[in-house]
Amino acid sequence: MSLRTPLPPPPPPAHIQAWPRPEAMLADRARALDELSRRHLGPGRLALYWAQVAGAVLGWGFVGVALQSFEGLIDPLVAVFGAAAGAVGVAGVVTSWIFIGIGVGRDRTIRQLLGEWAEVGRSHGSAARRWRAPGLSLAWLLPSVVVCGLGLWSSIGFALGARRGSETYLEAVFFIGLGVILWVAGLIGVSKAVGHYRWALRV
């Protein structure tokens, strides 16, 4: 689903809520929560997020190629190739993180709407168990934890294992930068899964 597709509107304020009958209210609530849950944790959103993360990692790989090309003696053609690779890489990283940031802001709005719609119909004993989505939450959590671990291994592991004279400063920049990208990306995924779990416990 495109990020440009409007989200379901919030429920009417409590003092003006006027459904003709409880069934109509609960049907509207179900439609809103179905859509919001799909937009928050659905397979499409999961695939889009990791595609954006992959774009950031690929862009950083181009930056690594550029850094490597500037080591030692610089041939003019190598310098041009390195500068082009660096420009492409930086553009890829920045663009990917812009879209990731847009998605994080949209997720914040979705969580707020989920909380508001979950409160509708509570007096009628309507639970929100069907929207807890433990499988999807786990699908977000497990790869995110793995990516966090890879990020720590890339940055902290490289820093701890580096030996004077065997690793260059450019290698340190690349591996620590890659670790930061992976760590932050994994942390976002973990926060999403844990946040949805906490919402499920509240409702």
Side-chain angles (χ1 to χ4, degrees):
M1 178 103 30
S2 172
L3 292 177
R4 295 182 180 181
T5 305
L7 294 171
H15 64 283
I16 63 171
Q17 288 180 1
W19 277 275
R21 56 189 186 279
E23 291 78 9
M25 174 184 63
L26 295 178
D28 286 347
R29 174 181 184 262
R31 281 191 293 269
L33 289 178
D34 281 341
E35 178 67 13
L36 290 168
S37 298
R38 182 168 60 251
R39 301 283 287 275
H40 192 226
L41 292 179
R45 180 71 183 96
L46 180 64
L48 177 62
Y49 177 72
W50 289 118
Q52 292 166 346
V53 174
V57 172
L58 181 62
W60 191 249
F62 275 94
V63 172
V65 171
L67 293 174
Q68 187 176 15
S69 69
F70 286 111
E71 287 186 319
L73 297 176
I74 301 178
D75 181 89
L77 291 178
V78 174
V80 171
F81 172 77
V88 171
V90 170
V93 172
V94 172
T95 302
S96 296
W97 279 109
I98 287 174
F99 282 109
I100 290 173
I102 292 173
V104 169
R106 198 171 181 83
D107 287 341
R108 187 180 299 113
T109 302
I110 290 175
R111 286 194 299 270
Q112 181 178 350
L113 290 172
L114 281 170
E116 292 175 1
W117 275 107
E119 292 298 321
V120 174
R122 292 287 291 271
S123 60
H124 294 271
S126 176
R129 292 186 183 91
R130 59 183 278 192
W131 297 285
R132 292 181 181 179
L136 285 172
S137 295
L138 200 60
W140 276 90
L141 181 63
L142 293 182
S144 298
V145 171
V146 172
V147 168
C148 280
L150 291 174
L152 287 176
W153 175 80
S154 178
S155 54
I156 297 178
F158 178 86
L160 293 177
R163 297 293 182 268
R164 184 182 297 273
S166 60
E167 283 86 15
T168 67
Y169 289 111
L170 294 181
E171 287 177 329
V173 169
F174 174 76
F175 283 105
I176 292 175
L178 177 63
V180 170
I181 291 174
L182 294 175
W183 169 252
V184 175
L187 195 60
I188 291 172
V190 169
S191 299
K192 178 192 281 279
V194 172
H196 190 82
Y197 177 74
R198 291 178 61 188
W199 169 79
L201 288 181
R202 287 199 305 271
V203 301

